[in-house]
Amino acid sequence: MTITSDTPVAIIGAGPAGLVLAHLLKAIGIDSVVLERRDRGYVEQRVRAGVLEHPSVELLRDLGLADRLEREGLSHRGIELAFEGRRHRIDFLDLVGHSITVYGQQEIVKDLIAARLAAGDPIVFEVDDVTIDGIDSDFPTVGYTHDGERHELRCRIVAGCDGFHGISRDRIGEGPSGNTVFDRDYPFAWLGILAEAAPTIDELIYSSHERGFALYSMRSPTITRLYLQVPADERIEDWSDDRIWSELEIRLPTGDGFSFNTGPIHERGITTMRSFVSIPMRRGSLAIAGDAAHIVPPTGAKGMNLAIADVAVLAEIIDDVITDGKDERLDDYTDECLRRVWRCQHFSWWMTSMLHRFDDDPFRRQLQLSELRLVTSSTPAATNLAENYVGVALGPSLRSPATQAGDGRSLAGARSLASEGKVDR
Ligand code: APR
Ligand code: PHB
């Protein structure tokens, strides 16, 4: 037997994209159900990147979801670029008037899950066999199995926020117009560790070394996050703690008065690097957001921010469709996202290309060094980096709809359209 229920929006995936979308919709009075394949503990512990752009922080603050982030997040007014043994500061606050915030992605996920559950709104963890039917109609359904029972959610919009390995992107490609993929693999990966070691500097160091890239980052006053460029097919078992620390010692600019603490390594993993965009991001009543639609290499720290930017656009379009019956607004979704997606793709590719060792080509190395010297000595070049790093504003039409003046709706006044019967079932 299948248990059937109705919701305006079915959201597949409880990562940053799915959870922020659920909160944005809630703020404008639109109910949704979030379906997540993993258990709560798994998604809350999954270690990922940790840099929030200024517009992402503002959006979370507007939604009332930034209390812990503002208490525990580390505000950084710039980064350092290291090459030829020396560090060079890029001061974002001076250059473009904004800072970034270092706060682990899994901490955001914890905060968003806690707030949603506290409000009594549904997240169904440990779902299996998720299916999407009726995509080309106005009445799609999402099927799933939970606790051995089969369920069917009848909805108006399905949001595929199920990451790079989810099921939603392929369903778009199966449509009559198919899809187009743009991608690039890199011949290297990042070996990342979390170490119980107090950071010795309060900004990130991106180091371009002859032996490969290294990144010095952090999570809290007691936890350091570090990365090393390694070959794409590297095995984590081949890296002992000693090997990791001594390679970091070589690649970080320790001759420039910088020293760092070592300590027990709690987490280690290898992340492959890829640039990927799949278009369109919507077919019929299914729209995809975040890693489901695009991947960036982590060098520009854009992945989570891009996921948040997509769902800011999507929430506004869903509002137009569900509240005002403007179904044609779905046609705008891909194009409204793509401008930012490609800006972030370019920035991430550029940072990756400038900082990593690709091969032994001395000509390429000289070009990299020349670009690094330019970015660290020319104000316009540094401003370009800073502007991209802190993030382009989501823009008046892309900010949380709940915070826009004059449309008669607010966080406090949020009402449930579903309960008012505005969702045609
Ligand atoms: N059914 C339900 N849930 C699914 C399914 C499925 N078939 N497939 C995947 N999921 C879940 C995953 O378990 C995961 O929790 O979807 C979620 C997708 O979350 P993320 O991978 O975090 O993707 P997104 O929300 O787009 O966030 C992008 O994550 O990978 C990082 O660097 C990336 O920071 C960026 C961010
Ligand atoms: C991180 O702290 O995990 C981090 C920081 C900056 C990046 C990528 C990852 O560019």
Side-chain angles (χ1 to χ4, degrees), residues 48-51 102 190 204 206 215 217-219 225 227 298-301 389:
R48 295 268 183 81
V51 172
V102 175
W190 278 14
L204 274 54
Y206 288 79
L215 173 61
S217 180
M218 59 221 62
R219 285 292 177 273
R225 177 84 168 138
Y227 297 95
T299 328
Y389 202 106

mmCIF file of all heavy atoms in Angstrom, residues 48-51 102 190 204 206 215 217-219 225 227 298-301 389, ligand 2:
data_model
loop_
_atom_site.group_PDB
_atom_site.id
_atom_site.type_symbol
_atom_site.label_atom_id
_atom_site.label_comp_id
_atom_site.label_asym_id
_atom_site.label_seq_id
_atom_site.Cartn_x
_atom_site.Cartn_y
_atom_site.Cartn_z
ATOM 1 N N ARG A 48 32.917 19.185 4.984
ATOM 2 C CA ARG A 48 33.039 19.806 3.660
ATOM 3 C C ARG A 48 33.768 21.138 3.816
ATOM 4 O O ARG A 48 34.413 21.364 4.813
ATOM 5 C CB ARG A 48 31.636 20.040 3.091
ATOM 6 C CG ARG A 48 30.845 18.744 2.798
ATOM 7 C CD ARG A 48 31.062 18.314 1.390
ATOM 8 N NE ARG A 48 30.325 17.153 0.951
ATOM 9 C CZ ARG A 48 29.068 17.142 0.549
ATOM 10 N NH1 ARG A 48 28.335 18.219 0.613
ATOM 11 N NH2 ARG A 48 28.529 16.042 0.095
ATOM 12 N N ALA A 49 33.578 22.025 2.842
ATOM 13 C CA ALA A 49 34.268 23.316 2.888
ATOM 14 C C ALA A 49 33.686 24.208 3.989
ATOM 15 O O ALA A 49 32.769 23.799 4.704
ATOM 16 C CB ALA A 49 34.161 23.995 1.533
ATOM 17 N N GLY A 50 34.182 25.416 4.098
ATOM 18 C CA GLY A 50 33.731 26.222 5.234
ATOM 19 C C GLY A 50 33.795 27.721 5.056
ATOM 20 O O GLY A 50 33.892 28.439 6.044
ATOM 21 N N VAL A 51 33.720 28.217 3.819
ATOM 22 C CA VAL A 51 33.781 29.669 3.650
ATOM 23 C C VAL A 51 32.424 30.190 3.178
ATOM 24 O O VAL A 51 31.883 29.727 2.181
ATOM 25 C CB VAL A 51 34.874 30.069 2.628
ATOM 26 C CG1 VAL A 51 34.803 31.561 2.307
ATOM 27 C CG2 VAL A 51 36.257 29.721 3.155
ATOM 28 N N VAL A 102 34.331 32.169 8.078
ATOM 29 C CA VAL A 102 34.735 30.770 8.059
ATOM 30 C C VAL A 102 33.891 30.019 9.085
ATOM 31 O O VAL A 102 33.918 30.335 10.285
ATOM 32 C CB VAL A 102 36.248 30.631 8.351
ATOM 33 C CG1 VAL A 102 36.657 29.167 8.456
ATOM 34 C CG2 VAL A 102 37.053 31.318 7.259
ATOM 35 N N TRP A 190 42.649 17.223 -3.828
ATOM 36 C CA TRP A 190 43.072 17.805 -2.554
ATOM 37 C C TRP A 190 42.993 16.745 -1.465
ATOM 38 O O TRP A 190 41.954 16.092 -1.297
ATOM 39 C CB TRP A 190 42.157 18.950 -2.136
ATOM 40 C CG TRP A 190 42.448 20.272 -2.757
ATOM 41 C CD1 TRP A 190 43.244 20.529 -3.832
ATOM 42 C CD2 TRP A 190 41.901 21.531 -2.336
ATOM 43 N NE1 TRP A 190 43.235 21.877 -4.115
ATOM 44 C CE2 TRP A 190 42.419 22.509 -3.208
ATOM 45 C CE3 TRP A 190 41.036 21.932 -1.325
ATOM 46 C CZ2 TRP A 190 42.090 23.865 -3.097
ATOM 47 C CZ3 TRP A 190 40.703 23.272 -1.215
ATOM 48 C CH2 TRP A 190 41.239 24.232 -2.087
ATOM 49 N N LEU A 204 43.260 32.823 5.938
ATOM 50 C CA LEU A 204 43.644 31.636 5.170
ATOM 51 C C LEU A 204 44.916 31.930 4.369
ATOM 52 O O LEU A 204 45.090 33.059 3.895
ATOM 53 C CB LEU A 204 42.526 31.285 4.179
ATOM 54 C CG LEU A 204 41.379 30.411 4.667
ATOM 55 C CD1 LEU A 204 40.720 30.969 5.903
ATOM 56 C CD2 LEU A 204 40.352 30.211 3.566
ATOM 57 N N TYR A 206 46.732 30.670 0.956
ATOM 58 C CA TYR A 206 46.750 29.885 -0.289
ATOM 59 C C TYR A 206 48.194 29.908 -0.782
ATOM 60 O O TYR A 206 48.700 30.969 -1.150
ATOM 61 C CB TYR A 206 45.856 30.528 -1.351
ATOM 62 C CG TYR A 206 44.364 30.396 -1.102
ATOM 63 C CD1 TYR A 206 43.697 31.225 -0.199
ATOM 64 C CD2 TYR A 206 43.614 29.443 -1.794
ATOM 65 C CE1 TYR A 206 42.328 31.107 0.003
ATOM 66 C CE2 TYR A 206 42.241 29.318 -1.604
ATOM 67 C CZ TYR A 206 41.615 30.157 -0.705
ATOM 68 O OH TYR A 206 40.256 30.036 -0.511
ATOM 69 N N LEU A 215 46.889 24.684 1.297
ATOM 70 C CA LEU A 215 45.978 25.686 1.869
ATOM 71 C C LEU A 215 45.941 25.538 3.378
ATOM 72 O O LEU A 215 45.756 24.431 3.897
ATOM 73 C CB LEU A 215 44.570 25.497 1.288
ATOM 74 C CG LEU A 215 43.440 26.344 1.890
ATOM 75 C CD1 LEU A 215 43.685 27.831 1.731
ATOM 76 C CD2 LEU A 215 42.100 25.979 1.212
ATOM 77 N N SER A 217 43.811 26.568 6.480
ATOM 78 C CA SER A 217 42.523 27.113 6.882
ATOM 79 C C SER A 217 42.228 26.646 8.303
ATOM 80 O O SER A 217 43.090 26.039 8.970
ATOM 81 C CB SER A 217 41.437 26.676 5.894
ATOM 82 O OG SER A 217 40.174 27.197 6.254
ATOM 83 N N MET A 218 41.053 26.926 8.774
ATOM 84 C CA MET A 218 40.740 26.631 10.189
ATOM 85 C C MET A 218 39.241 26.482 10.369
ATOM 86 O O MET A 218 38.456 26.827 9.478
ATOM 87 C CB MET A 218 41.261 27.759 11.067
ATOM 88 C CG MET A 218 40.659 29.083 10.696
ATOM 89 S SD MET A 218 41.805 30.454 10.706
ATOM 90 C CE MET A 218 43.003 30.060 9.498
ATOM 91 N N ARG A 219 38.843 25.986 11.516
ATOM 92 C CA ARG A 219 37.431 25.862 11.826
ATOM 93 C C ARG A 219 37.051 26.542 13.136
ATOM 94 O O ARG A 219 35.898 26.909 13.326
ATOM 95 C CB ARG A 219 37.027 24.378 11.907
ATOM 96 C CG ARG A 219 36.907 23.692 10.577
ATOM 97 C CD ARG A 219 35.721 24.239 9.782
ATOM 98 N NE ARG A 219 35.650 23.618 8.475
ATOM 99 C CZ ARG A 219 36.292 24.047 7.399
ATOM 100 N NH1 ARG A 219 37.016 25.143 7.470
ATOM 101 N NH2 ARG A 219 36.205 23.431 6.247
ATOM 102 N N ARG A 225 42.292 23.397 9.589
ATOM 103 C CA ARG A 225 41.890 22.647 8.401
ATOM 104 C C ARG A 225 42.981 22.884 7.362
ATOM 105 O O ARG A 225 43.313 24.044 7.058
ATOM 106 C CB ARG A 225 40.549 23.181 7.896
ATOM 107 C CG ARG A 225 40.036 22.528 6.616
ATOM 108 C CD ARG A 225 39.307 21.258 6.884
ATOM 109 N NE ARG A 225 38.579 20.739 5.742
ATOM 110 C CZ ARG A 225 38.564 19.450 5.424
ATOM 111 N NH1 ARG A 225 39.235 18.566 6.132
ATOM 112 N NH2 ARG A 225 37.855 19.027 4.404
ATOM 113 N N TYR A 227 44.983 21.578 3.570
ATOM 114 C CA TYR A 227 44.863 20.821 2.319
ATOM 115 C C TYR A 227 46.211 20.792 1.598
ATOM 116 O O TYR A 227 46.976 21.761 1.654
ATOM 117 C CB TYR A 227 43.866 21.490 1.379
ATOM 118 C CG TYR A 227 42.438 21.554 1.875
ATOM 119 C CD1 TYR A 227 41.958 22.689 2.538
ATOM 120 C CD2 TYR A 227 41.544 20.507 1.650
ATOM 121 C CE1 TYR A 227 40.639 22.770 2.968
ATOM 122 C CE2 TYR A 227 40.218 20.591 2.068
ATOM 123 C CZ TYR A 227 39.777 21.722 2.731
ATOM 124 O OH TYR A 227 38.475 21.812 3.150
ATOM 125 N N PRO A 298 37.361 23.464 -5.382
ATOM 126 C CA PRO A 298 37.176 24.201 -4.133
ATOM 127 C C PRO A 298 38.077 25.425 -3.943
ATOM 128 O O PRO A 298 37.919 26.160 -2.963
ATOM 129 C CB PRO A 298 37.494 23.148 -3.057
ATOM 130 C CG PRO A 298 38.360 22.146 -3.746
ATOM 131 C CD PRO A 298 37.951 22.143 -5.183
ATOM 132 N N THR A 299 38.980 25.682 -4.884
ATOM 133 C CA THR A 299 39.968 26.744 -4.680
ATOM 134 C C THR A 299 39.338 28.124 -4.466
ATOM 135 O O THR A 299 39.893 28.965 -3.769
ATOM 136 C CB THR A 299 40.948 26.795 -5.873
ATOM 137 O OG1 THR A 299 41.118 25.473 -6.377
ATOM 138 C CG2 THR A 299 42.284 27.347 -5.468
ATOM 139 N N GLY A 300 38.189 28.368 -5.074
ATOM 140 C CA GLY A 300 37.556 29.672 -4.884
ATOM 141 C C GLY A 300 36.552 29.688 -3.752
ATOM 142 O O GLY A 300 35.925 30.717 -3.499
ATOM 143 N N ALA A 301 36.363 28.557 -3.083
ATOM 144 C CA ALA A 301 35.426 28.436 -1.949
ATOM 145 C C ALA A 301 33.997 28.818 -2.337
ATOM 146 O O ALA A 301 33.293 29.487 -1.593
ATOM 147 C CB ALA A 301 35.908 29.298 -0.773
ATOM 148 N N TYR A 389 35.762 36.875 -4.533
ATOM 149 C CA TYR A 389 35.860 36.005 -3.352
ATOM 150 C C TYR A 389 34.747 36.304 -2.357
ATOM 151 O O TYR A 389 34.105 35.398 -1.833
ATOM 152 C CB TYR A 389 37.237 36.163 -2.693
ATOM 153 C CG TYR A 389 37.624 34.978 -1.826
ATOM 154 C CD1 TYR A 389 38.583 34.066 -2.248
ATOM 155 C CD2 TYR A 389 37.037 34.762 -0.587
ATOM 156 C CE1 TYR A 389 38.938 32.974 -1.473
ATOM 157 C CE2 TYR A 389 37.378 33.680 0.199
ATOM 158 C CZ TYR A 389 38.331 32.795 -0.247
ATOM 159 O OH TYR A 389 38.667 31.715 0.533
HETATM 160 C C1 PHB B 2 38.046 25.237 4.006
HETATM 161 O O1 PHB B 2 38.309 25.833 5.055
HETATM 162 O O2 PHB B 2 37.587 24.080 4.031
HETATM 163 C C2 PHB B 2 38.304 25.888 2.696
HETATM 164 C C3 PHB B 2 38.707 27.201 2.662
HETATM 165 C C4 PHB B 2 38.949 27.805 1.447
HETATM 166 C C5 PHB B 2 38.801 27.095 0.280
HETATM 167 C C6 PHB B 2 38.383 25.781 0.309
HETATM 168 C C7 PHB B 2 38.141 25.164 1.536
HETATM 169 O O3 PHB B 2 39.061 27.692 -0.910
#
